Amino acid sequence: MDANAYLKTIDDTISKGSFKDNWDSLSEFQVPRWYEKAKFGIFIHWGVYSVPAFRSEWYPRNMYIQGSEEYKHHIAVYGEHKDFGYKDFIPMFKAENFNANEWAELFREAGAKYIMPVAEHHDGFQMYKSDISHFNAYEMGPKRDLLGEMKAAFEKRDLTFCVSSHRAEHWFFLSHGKEFDSDIKEPLVRGDFYWPSMPEPDHQDLYGSPPNQEYLEDWLIRCCELVDQYKPKVFYFDWWIHTAAFKPYLKKFAAYYYNKAEEWGFGVAINYKHDAFQFGTSVPDVERGQFAELKPYFWQTDTAVAKNSWSYTPGNDYKSSVEIIRDLVDIVSKNGSLLLNVGPKADGSIPEEDKQILLEIGAWLKDNGEAIYDTTFWRTFGEGPTKIEEGQFTDGKTKLFTSEDIRFTVKGTCLYATVLVHPSNGVVKIKSLGKKSHHFHGIIEDISVLGFDEKPLWERTDEALIITTNKVQSAAPVVFSIIIE
């Protein structure tokens, strides 16, 4: 690829398009309506790191940190790093059981509306056909355009195709291999798998020196190549792009992407963390966490079916489907969307545990999806005693919701009240809908319970709307559809 020619194309597209590479112009961005309606997506962490499948997808970094569990495991299983390095896993990444159509069917059954595979993780291996580096899935490993196959299968089933790039962190990700006799040696040049492997001081400072112009231009071209080849409707960035050196390039990318979307004729969005983008120019994302209160802006949380890893590892610590459904309801009630990650095995098969969780979520959504999809927030997101810990990396502990924890969404004439833990006696009290509540002074015409044949009894007192059922039993949240006159 002629990098200078591509950079000129990017600049030309920005100069001719509606969006310019400054925050004032990019603030004209509007969240696509399809995205606000979708509410539930699937994230996919799958790559060369799925071959060792040890501890997490950070194996390629940590295997080069002397003394780490990954370092010791690597020597015990694969031998010395100078003889068998991370690059030597690539031929073992064959994806021999990968079937994009089977994935698409599973994700559709799960009730997901958009799908986001990781196109390139921190390790620098591209899961697609690329003209930038030979270290991609089309030329090595599976020797297939995995991303292209996914796009075709997903869109055939009306699943919105999105991508994520974690390339930014590659600047330092493999640098510890230079600290001892390993297969990571200078000279490293642009296009090499291990390039640039810049220092990461004290093994914990994930910043080190700021990336240089050559690296930043390469990063920009890689992102724009994904846009041009696959036309994703959401482009997700991981955390390291918030560092100062990336700012001019982030603006260029956003302007290029938004202008290309105008050419294509459909709405797109960018996901970001840590104020990498100016507020209002894209969609904020909270990693493994959520907000405690309703937000006036659309947001997303990304989390995983496993608590310990984004990628497949044997013995993953899985969440229950009920736990995830409760989080989905809570997030949607606060004007958010849930992006839920699964980690396929190296051969391309999805673990049975992941499948079961997805199918259980899908079964719940078949009965209750009308309270999730295409809804919006109500005057208050909910009620109940359980407090949500706000911020990233807060989903490691299961939330102990009670029968008093209720979440609201609304669509048309329906107000949906979802009881996160249905009481065993069948009596639900909704304080926000009592006669003296400051949240609601309207008229209730009728109430039904989704997914059950029983017609609930109900009455409004000064203190609460009291709904009684005799036959409704469910470990998962129960949704009441309240018709407002």
Side-chain angles (χ1 to χ4, degrees), residues 22 63 76 81 126 186 192 194 196 230 238 243 274 279 290 323 333 339 425 479 485:
N22 62 70
M63 65 174 272
H81 296 66
Q126 298 165 292
E186 295 289 3
D192 287 352
Y194 293 149
Y230 300 98
D238 203 15
T243 55
H274 304 297
F279 186 80
Q290 55 213 77
E323 181 180 354
S333 74
L339 181 63
N425 66 3
V479 181
E485 187 173 321

Side-chain angles (χ1 to χ4, degrees), residues 378 383 406 408 415 417 419 427-437 440 444-448 457-468 480-484:
W378 193 50
E383 63 183 56
I406 299 167
F408 302 109
L415 171 65
V419 184
V427 179
V428 173
K429 297 180 180 180
I430 307 176
K431 297 177 182 178
S432 298
L433 297 175
K435 290 181 179 179
K436 290 188 175 180
S437 169
F440 180 71
I444 296 175
E445 182 177 313
D446 194 21
I447 299 177
S448 59
L457 301 175
W458 59 275
E459 64 171 325
R460 285 183 77 193
T461 67
D462 287 345
E463 288 72 33
L465 169 65
I466 302 172
I467 305 174
T468 303
F480 291 98
S481 174
I482 303 169
I483 306 299
I484 307 298

Side-chain angles (χ1 to χ4, degrees), residues 56-174:
S56 78
E57 68 289 345
W58 278 50
Y59 186 90
R61 168 187 177 265
N62 296 340
M63 65 174 272
Y64 290 105
I65 297 180
Q66 298 172 77
S68 70
E69 291 301 313
E70 290 87 346
Y71 176 87
K72 291 183 283 188
H73 172 84
H74 191 83
I75 291 176
V77 178
Y78 304 104
E80 297 290 337
H81 296 66
K82 62 183 175 60
D83 300 318
F84 190 106
Y86 185 65
K87 68 179 186 309
D88 297 300
F89 287 116
I90 295 175
M92 301 168 67
F93 179 53
K94 299 177 180 178
E96 63 270 25
N97 293 322
F98 169 61
N99 186 315
N101 290 304
E102 290 180 0
W103 283 21
E105 288 295 336
L106 173 63
F107 299 153
R108 185 170 65 173
E109 283 296 305
K113 297 300 182 181
Y114 62 105
I115 317 295
M116 185 180 293
V118 174
E120 182 179 353
H121 204 257
H122 313 325
D123 64 349
F125 188 78
Q126 298 165 292
M127 297 289 285
Y128 56 96
K129 184 178 181 181
S130 174
D131 292 329
I132 295 170
S133 169
H134 296 298
F135 291 90
N136 65 74
Y138 186 76
E139 296 185 53
M140 294 184 178
K143 296 187 177 179
R144 297 162 64 178
D145 181 1
L146 301 176
L147 209 62
E149 292 180 36
M150 289 184 227
K151 176 181 170 68
F154 298 162
E155 292 184 342
K156 182 179 179 182
R157 291 162 178 81
D158 295 323
L159 298 170
T160 301
F161 181 76
C162 312
V163 300
S164 81
S165 170
H166 307 234
R167 170 71 187 182
E169 296 91 326
H170 188 70
W171 171 257
F172 63 80
F173 204 62
L174 298 163

